[in-house]
Amino acid sequence: SKGEMHCLLTEDAVPKRAASYLERLDYADAVRIAKFRMRSHYLAIETGGWLRMKKENRVCNLCMTVEDEYHILFECPKYDAARAKLINFNSYDVNNVKQSLIKLFNAKDNRTLYNLSVFLRKAHKIHVESAGAFLKKLIKDAENEIRL
């Protein structure tokens, strides 16, 4: 559900208290993180829901696994270069999805949160470019089938 990610990240939060990153980052960075936390993005986990697709069918066009927040932050090779520059993997347990996401999004230092925001901006650009290339390939393949 749309609030699933947000609930995961805020289960220990103090009620009626703004998330600390909202106070520590500039407006654009805070909004970028807030939107991602609330699944206001175009990953397949969200867009597939608009089409009422089963969760297991909301897949990354490269990996063919569920394309959710964890997938782009920690797994998908499309984002390796941006991830290597901006996210310190030594700090996260990639075998524990929930704890890794909580630790990353609830980081206490501003540098980690800023880097997360920059990563999300770059990942969005990569995602849009990748989706465009994927659609072009589908169209080309369809055109070739029609010619046969």
Side-chain angles (χ1 to χ4, degrees):
S1 79
K2 190 149 184 90
E4 183 179 349
M5 175 77 168
H6 182 69
C7 289
L8 168 75
L9 296 173
T10 58
E11 66 183 25
D12 296 328
V14 177
K16 297 186 180 180
R17 169 110 173 105
S20 64
Y21 70 88
L22 293 172
E23 299 164 351
R24 298 185 347 236
L25 294 174
D26 71 36
Y27 180 78
D29 292 325
V31 167
R32 189 173 297 115
I33 291 173
K35 287 176 122 182
F36 193 79
R37 286 175 67 128
M38 294 184 293
R39 284 204 169 147
S40 182
H41 53 59
Y42 292 98
L43 299 180
I45 194 68
E46 175 61 15
T47 58
W50 304 342
L51 303 171
R52 298 186 199 272
M53 293 170 65
K54 291 181 179 177
K55 195 172 186 175
E56 63 269 13
N57 294 333
R58 303 176 195 182
V59 298
C60 168
N61 61 27
L62 176 67
C63 306
M64 301 311 290
T65 60
V66 172
E67 183 185 56
D68 59 10
E69 296 83 3
Y70 185 82
H71 180 70
I72 73 152
L73 286 166
F74 293 101
E75 297 174 336
C76 187
K78 280 190 283 196
Y79 309 101
D80 279 351
R83 193 183 299 120
K85 291 179 184 174
L86 297 163
I87 298 175
N88 178 4
F89 278 112
N90 298 330
S91 301
Y92 304 99
D93 179 2
V94 294
N95 296 314
N96 190 332
V97 173
K98 182 178 178 180
Q99 286 305 315
S100 294
L101 286 170
I102 290 170
K103 186 174 182 180
L104 179 60
F105 279 90
N106 294 321
K108 300 297 180 204
D109 66 295
N110 290 352
R111 173 56 59 191
T112 298
L113 292 170
Y114 174 76
N115 285 352
L116 173 60
S117 176
V118 172
F119 173 80
L120 293 175
R121 180 173 33 87
K122 291 180 182 227
H124 176 75
K125 182 178 180 191
I126 293 166
H127 186 269
V128 169
E129 290 170 355
S130 172
F134 183 69
L135 288 173
K136 284 179 186 175
K137 183 184 179 315
L138 286 176
I139 291 167
K140 185 176 180 180
D141 290 349
E143 287 171 345
N144 289 337
E145 282 188 35
I146 291 170
R147 286 189 191 119
L148 296 177

